[in-house]
């Protein structure tokens, strides 16, 4: 009998599962900021994901301690550069609460109006950029056209296109220009008349739905565990909105207009649908504020402040429903003209941590779809 010869051919690591570490980023600000994702892959499937943050850290919280209560507004409106007015608002609300200051009614309604216009501007950016990240270039052109309509009226009233610097402790910088409310109402109507483009171009696109439906499911339990808020949390069925549940500004009087948009699926598509429907509602809220302003008699929009503004010793916490979620402001004062401590709880910081829960088990091809659906600004993370 002829002896059998066996030959073993080496095939390296392919004979068994092999982990590979892949760095996504740090990227250019075209991805809403410089973020790095450290992924551990098994083939094309993500086994572990770690968001690595801090590339844009500018130490805003430390700088607050070296600026007086008028100057910190400038620092506050920059960490989420798409929500500058809303960022200013949270800081002045905290300082006014510390001072026990009442803001004129006209200023309260104007703040509510401008906060909702800022919400629309924020959401339009993501309504255009998210399809772009999935290969659809057309929606972002429409999104920027609508943004320009609203940017014109925001620039006219404040003088700024991104960093408005229009809030002041005790109210607003100044009253509205003559005829501004008419132009603002026309801009809101124009934008609303064309918002169905996003339903047709994006939600009606079978490729977009195929890339997002059932992808990146975030459970309500994970929402609560990571402190996720805003459209992302509501896309998972968590029915919470500070404008309704703990009203501030004039939201307590807008309950018949305010609609808290939720979905139950918790996937990328649900988050986008929440964002789009919330944009429609923000336009309705802006119209309601314009109606109320038309009924108000002329009056002041701010309070007269002392030359040197000092908050009494103590601490307070104010929070707002920013476009991307809950923003919190913990203010500690030692009775000086500068804050002893101003701690920011930014929406994007909590929201992005949920990627450690969302990405494992998914394919690398779905990573961009999931990442884009988190609607974050990295400056809001690296405050």
């Amino acid at each position: 009998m002829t002896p059998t010869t066996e030959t073993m051919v080496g095939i390296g690591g392919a004979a068994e599962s092999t982990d590979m570490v892949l760095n996504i980023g740090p990227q250019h600000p075209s991805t809403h900021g410089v973020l790095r994702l450290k992924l551990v892959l098994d083939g094309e499937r993500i086994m572990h994901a770690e968001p690595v943050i801090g590339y844009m850290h500018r130490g805003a919280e430390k700088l607050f301690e070296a600026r007086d209560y008028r100057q910190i507004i400038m620092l506050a409106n920059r960490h989420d550069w798409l929500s500058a007015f809303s960022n200013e608002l949270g800081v002045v609300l905290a300082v006014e609460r510390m001072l026990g200051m009442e803001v004129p009614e006209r200023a309260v309604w104007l703040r509510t109006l401008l906060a909702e216009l800022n919400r629309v501007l924020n959401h339009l950016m993501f309504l255009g950029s998210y399809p772009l990240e999935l290969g659809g270039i057309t929606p972002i052109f429409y999104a920027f056209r609508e943004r320009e309509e609203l940017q014109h009226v925001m620039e006219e009233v404040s003088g700024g296109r991104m960093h408005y610097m229009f809030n002041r402790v005790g109210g607003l910088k100044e009253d509205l220009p003559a005829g501004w409310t008419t132009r603002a109402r026309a801009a809101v109507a124009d934008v609303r008349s064309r918002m169905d483009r996003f339903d047709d171009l994006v939600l009606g696109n079978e490729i977009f739905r195929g890339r997002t439906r059932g992808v990146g499911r975030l459970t309500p339990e994970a929402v609560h565990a990571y402190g996720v808020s805003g459209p992302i949390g509501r896309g998972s069925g968590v029915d919470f909105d500070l404008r309704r549940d703990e009203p501030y500004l004039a939201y307590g009087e807008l309950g018949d207009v305010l609609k808290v948009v939720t979905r139950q699926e918790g996937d990328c598509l649900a988050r986008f649908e929440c964002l789009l429907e919330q944009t429609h509602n923000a336009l309705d809220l802006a119209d309601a504020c314009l109606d109320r302003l038309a009924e108000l008699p002329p009056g002041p929009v701010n309070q007269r402040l002392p030359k040197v503004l000092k908050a009494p010793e103590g601490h307070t916490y104010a929070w707002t429903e920013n476009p991307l979620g809950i923003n919190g402001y913990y203010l500690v004062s030692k009775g000086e003209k500068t804050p002893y401590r101003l701690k920011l709880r930014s929406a994007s910081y909590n929201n992005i941590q949920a990627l450690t829960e969302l990405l494992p088990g998914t394919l690398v091809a779905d990573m961009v779809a999931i990442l884009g659906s988190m609607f974050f600004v990295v400056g809001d993370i690296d405050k």
Side-chain angles (χ1 to χ4, degrees):
M1 184 176 180
T2 307
T4 303
T5 302
E6 295 183 0
T7 304
M8 178 65 71
V9 179
I11 56 175
E16 58 184 48
S17 177
T18 303
D19 290 342
M20 179 179 73
V21 177
L22 178 66
N23 281 294
I24 305 295
Q27 301 285 11
H28 186 270
S30 63
T31 54
H32 308 298
V34 184
L35 176 72
R36 173 185 164 210
L37 286 177
K38 182 180 177 182
L39 307 179
V40 178
L41 306 180
D42 180 3
E44 293 188 28
R45 195 164 297 279
I46 298 170
M47 306 307 294
H48 177 76
E50 178 189 352
V52 182
I53 63 175
Y55 289 94
M56 294 186 67
H57 182 53
R58 294 159 292 171
E61 291 181 357
K62 194 64 181 174
L63 290 172
F64 287 145
E65 300 171 15
R67 304 290 188 277
D68 67 33
Y69 287 105
R70 292 180 175 90
Q71 295 169 326
I72 60 175
I73 301 170
M74 178 276 296
L75 291 168
N77 73 15
R78 281 163 165 75
H79 59 89
D80 176 0
W81 45 80
L82 297 179
S83 309
F85 185 87
S86 301
N87 297 339
E88 299 171 11
L89 189 58
V91 169
V92 296
L93 288 175
V95 178
E96 288 161 4
R97 180 177 295 180
M98 193 77 116
L99 293 167
M101 182 180 290
E102 289 289 330
V103 176
E105 185 181 15
R106 184 172 177 80
V108 170
W109 282 96
L110 272 173
R111 281 177 169 181
T112 310
L113 166 62
L114 295 172
E116 290 306 311
L117 292 179
N118 193 195
R119 191 180 309 275
V120 177
L121 284 168
N122 175 289
H123 289 358
L124 281 170
M125 175 64 78
F126 291 104
L127 291 174
S129 66
Y130 185 38
L132 180 66
E133 289 159 4
L134 296 180
I137 192 172
T138 308
I140 200 165
F141 296 130
Y142 289 105
F144 266 82
R145 183 178 70 176
E146 310 315 329
R147 277 176 55 85
E148 282 301 313
E149 287 271 356
L150 298 176
Q151 286 281 29
H152 286 320
V153 295
M154 293 293 283
E155 184 176 8
E156 182 185 359
V157 75
S158 68
R161 283 182 60 83
M162 286 188 70
H163 305 304
Y164 304 110
M165 279 300 296
F166 198 56
N167 277 289
R168 295 292 187 273
V169 176
L172 295 168
K173 175 185 174 185
E174 57 194 6
D175 207 345
L176 303 173
W180 182 87
T181 53
T182 302
R183 292 186 288 277
R185 193 182 294 275
V188 169
D190 285 346
V191 172
R192 180 187 289 107
S193 69
R194 293 190 291 264
M195 283 299 295
D196 60 347
R197 294 286 175 85
F198 295 97
D199 292 281
D200 299 336
L201 282 174
V202 185
L203 289 182
N205 186 292
E206 62 183 42
I207 299 175
F208 178 84
R209 298 183 75 88
R211 291 289 307 275
T212 57
R213 187 194 287 114
V215 175
R217 290 186 185 274
L218 185 64
T219 64
E221 293 77 17
V223 169
H224 292 300
Y226 287 93
V228 174
S229 59
I232 302 170
R234 292 190 283 272
S236 296
V238 177
D239 188 4
F240 181 72
D241 191 313
L242 282 175
R243 296 173 297 171
R244 179 199 63 193
D245 300 324
E246 193 173 315
Y248 58 98
L249 295 182
Y251 289 114
E253 301 179 45
L254 292 169
D256 55 338
V257 182
L258 175 62
K259 180 182 178 184
V260 179
V261 182
T262 61
R263 292 290 187 274
Q264 300 302 317
E265 296 80 2
D267 56 11
C268 296
L269 181 60
R271 293 189 279 274
F272 186 87
E273 288 176 343
C274 282
L275 196 77
L276 178 55
E277 198 170 334
Q278 191 169 283
T279 308
H280 285 285
N281 187 240
L283 292 169
D284 295 338
L285 287 167
D287 267 341
C289 291
L290 286 165
D291 292 340
R292 185 72 178 92
L293 282 167
E295 299 169 1
L296 290 177
V301 295
N302 50 40
Q303 296 275 27
R304 182 179 293 275
L305 299 176
K307 186 175 182 180
V308 177
L309 181 64
K310 294 183 179 181
E313 188 169 348
H315 60 91
T316 190
Y317 184 77
W319 56 347
T320 60
E321 187 68 41
N322 265 40
L324 297 180
I326 294 172
N327 268 27
Y329 305 83
Y330 179 59
L331 174 62
V332 181
S333 171
K334 295 292 187 181
E336 302 296 330
K337 65 179 182 179
T338 60
Y340 177 77
R341 182 81 167 94
L342 179 53
K343 168 68 176 149
L344 295 180
R345 186 268 188 218
S346 58
S348 296
Y349 181 84
N350 284 69
N351 291 354
I352 205 68
Q353 308 307 319
L355 286 172
T356 59
E357 187 99 6
L358 278 176
L359 290 177
T362 63
L363 298 173
V364 174
D366 290 328
M367 183 268 300
V368 174
I370 297 170
L371 189 62
S373 74
M374 298 306 285
F375 311 131
F376 60 89
V377 171
V378 178
D380 203 37
I381 303 169
D382 296 343
K383 50 192 181 293

